Coordinates of all heavy atoms in Angstrom, one line a residue:
Y191 N -7.9 27.9 -18.1 CA -7.8 26.9 -19.1 C -7.2 25.6 -18.5 O -7.7 24.5 -18.8 CB -7.0 27.4 -20.3 CG -6.6 26.4 -21.3 CD1 -7.5 26.1 -22.4 CD2 -5.4 25.6 -21.2 CE1 -7.2 25.2 -23.3 CE2 -5.1 24.7 -22.2 CZ -6.0 24.4 -23.2 OH -5.7 23.5 -24.2
F206 N 14.2 31.0 -14.5 CA 15.1 31.8 -13.8 C 16.1 32.5 -14.8 O 16.2 32.1 -16.0 CB 15.9 30.9 -12.9 CG 15.1 29.9 -12.1 CD1 15.1 28.6 -12.4 CD2 14.1 30.4 -11.2 CE1 14.2 27.7 -11.7 CE2 13.3 29.6 -10.5 CZ 13.3 28.2 -10.8
N210 N 20.1 31.4 -21.9 CA 19.3 30.6 -22.8 C 20.1 29.8 -23.9 O 19.7 29.7 -25.0 CB 18.2 31.4 -23.5 CG 17.1 31.7 -22.6 OD1 16.5 30.8 -22.0 ND2 16.8 33.0 -22.4
M224 N 13.8 35.1 -15.3 CA 14.4 35.4 -16.6 C 13.8 36.7 -17.2 O 12.5 36.8 -17.1 CB 14.1 34.2 -17.6 CG 14.9 34.3 -18.8 SD 14.3 33.0 -20.0 CE 14.6 31.5 -19.2
E238 N 0.1 33.2 -6.4 CA -1.2 33.6 -5.8 C -2.4 33.1 -6.7 O -3.4 32.5 -6.2 CB -1.2 35.1 -5.6 CG -2.6 35.8 -5.4 CD -3.3 35.4 -4.2 OE1 -2.6 35.0 -3.2 OE2 -4.5 35.5 -4.2
K246 N -1.4 23.8 -7.2 CA 0.0 23.8 -6.7 C 1.0 24.3 -7.8 O 0.8 24.1 -9.0 CB 0.4 22.4 -6.3 CG -0.6 21.6 -5.5 CD -0.6 21.9 -4.1 CE -1.5 20.9 -3.3 NZ -1.8 21.4 -2.0
Y299 N 38.3 24.1 -22.1 CA 39.4 24.9 -21.6 C 38.9 26.4 -21.4 O 38.2 26.9 -22.2 CB 40.6 24.9 -22.6 CG 41.8 25.6 -22.1 CD1 42.6 25.1 -21.1 CD2 42.1 26.9 -22.6 CE1 43.7 25.7 -20.6 CE2 43.3 27.6 -22.1 CZ 44.0 27.0 -21.1 OH 45.1 27.6 -20.6
G314 N 28.1 26.1 -22.2 CA 27.7 27.1 -21.2 C 27.0 26.6 -20.0 O 26.4 27.4 -19.2
A324 N 30.1 24.0 0.4 CA 29.5 25.4 0.1 C 28.4 25.3 -1.0 O 27.5 26.0 -1.0 CB 30.6 26.4 -0.2
D338 N 9.9 29.3 0.8 CA 9.3 30.4 1.5 C 8.4 31.2 0.6 O 7.4 31.9 1.1 CB 10.5 31.3 2.0 CG 11.2 30.7 3.1 OD1 10.7 29.8 3.8 OD2 12.4 31.1 3.4
R362 N 30.0 7.7 -14.3 CA 29.5 9.1 -14.2 C 28.7 9.3 -12.9 O 28.5 10.4 -12.4 CB 28.7 9.5 -15.4 CG 29.5 9.8 -16.6 CD 28.7 10.6 -17.5 NE 29.6 10.9 -18.7 CZ 29.4 12.0 -19.4 NH1 28.5 12.9 -19.1 NH2 30.3 12.2 -20.4
R433 N 2.2 -2.0 -28.7 CA 2.4 -3.2 -27.9 C 3.6 -2.9 -26.9 O 3.5 -3.3 -25.8 CB 2.9 -4.4 -28.8 CG 1.7 -5.1 -29.5 CD 2.3 -6.3 -30.2 NE 1.3 -7.1 -30.8 CZ 1.5 -8.4 -31.1 NH1 2.6 -9.0 -30.8 NH2 0.5 -9.1 -31.6
A480 N -4.6 9.8 -30.0 CA -4.3 10.7 -28.8 C -5.1 10.3 -27.6 O -4.6 10.2 -26.5 CB -4.6 12.1 -29.2
T481 N -6.4 10.0 -27.8 CA -7.3 9.7 -26.7 C -7.1 8.3 -26.2 O -7.1 8.0 -25.0 CB -8.8 9.9 -27.1 OG1 -9.0 9.2 -28.3 CG2 -9.1 11.3 -27.2
Y488 N -3.4 7.1 -18.3 CA -3.8 7.9 -17.1 C -4.8 7.3 -16.2 O -5.2 7.9 -15.2 CB -4.3 9.3 -17.6 CG -3.2 10.2 -18.2 CD1 -3.3 10.7 -19.4 CD2 -2.0 10.4 -17.5 CE1 -2.3 11.5 -20.0 CE2 -1.0 11.2 -18.0 CZ -1.1 11.7 -19.2 OH -0.1 12.5 -19.8
L490 N -4.0 4.4 -15.0 CA -3.2 3.5 -14.2 C -2.9 4.2 -12.9 O -3.3 5.4 -12.6 CB -1.8 3.3 -15.0 CG -2.0 2.5 -16.2 CD1 -0.7 2.5 -17.0 CD2 -2.5 1.1 -16.0
E538 N 15.3 13.9 -42.0 CA 14.3 12.9 -41.6 C 14.5 12.5 -40.1 O 13.6 12.5 -39.3 CB 14.5 11.7 -42.5 CG 13.2 10.9 -42.9 CD 12.0 11.7 -43.0 OE1 11.9 12.7 -43.9 OE2 11.1 11.5 -42.2
R549 N 8.4 22.1 -28.5 CA 8.7 23.5 -28.1 C 8.2 24.6 -29.0 O 8.5 25.8 -28.7 CB 10.3 23.6 -27.9 CG 10.8 22.6 -27.0 CD 12.3 22.7 -26.9 NE 12.8 21.7 -25.9 CZ 14.1 21.6 -25.5 NH1 15.0 22.4 -26.0 NH2 14.4 20.7 -24.6
S560 N -0.7 31.7 -34.5 CA -1.5 30.7 -33.7 C -2.0 31.1 -32.4 O -2.1 30.3 -31.4 CB -0.7 29.3 -33.6 OG 0.6 29.5 -33.2
G565 N 1.9 40.2 -31.2 CA 2.7 41.3 -31.7 C 3.1 41.0 -33.2 O 2.7 40.0 -33.8
N587 N -14.0 23.2 -31.2 CA -15.1 23.3 -32.2 C -15.4 22.0 -32.8 O -16.4 21.8 -33.5 CB -14.8 24.3 -33.3 CG -14.9 25.7 -32.8 OD1 -15.6 26.0 -31.8 ND2 -14.2 26.7 -33.4
S591 N -13.3 16.2 -29.7 CA -12.3 17.1 -29.1 C -11.4 16.3 -28.1 O -11.9 15.6 -27.2 CB -13.0 18.2 -28.3 OG -12.2 18.7 -27.3
C654 N -20.6 -5.5 -18.0 CA -20.2 -4.1 -17.6 C -21.4 -3.2 -17.8 O -22.3 -3.5 -18.6 CB -19.1 -3.6 -18.5 SG -17.5 -4.4 -18.3
E655 N -21.3 -2.1 -17.1 CA -22.3 -1.0 -17.4 C -21.9 -0.4 -18.7 O -20.8 -0.6 -19.2 CB -22.2 0.0 -16.3 CG -22.8 -0.4 -14.9 CD -22.7 0.7 -13.9 OE1 -22.2 1.8 -14.2 OE2 -23.1 0.4 -12.7
G669 N -17.3 -6.2 -27.7 CA -17.8 -6.1 -29.1 C -16.8 -5.6 -30.1 O -15.6 -5.6 -29.8

Side-chain angles (χ1 to χ4, degrees):
Y191 171 87
F206 316 109
N210 288 304
M224 193 188 298
E238 162 63 25
K246 316 275 190 198
Y299 185 72
D338 288 338
R362 285 198 177 209
R433 279 185 175 202
T481 49
Y488 294 126
L490 295 173
E538 215 29 63
R549 301 177 178 185
S560 49
N587 287 336
S591 157
C654 291
E655 289 183 1

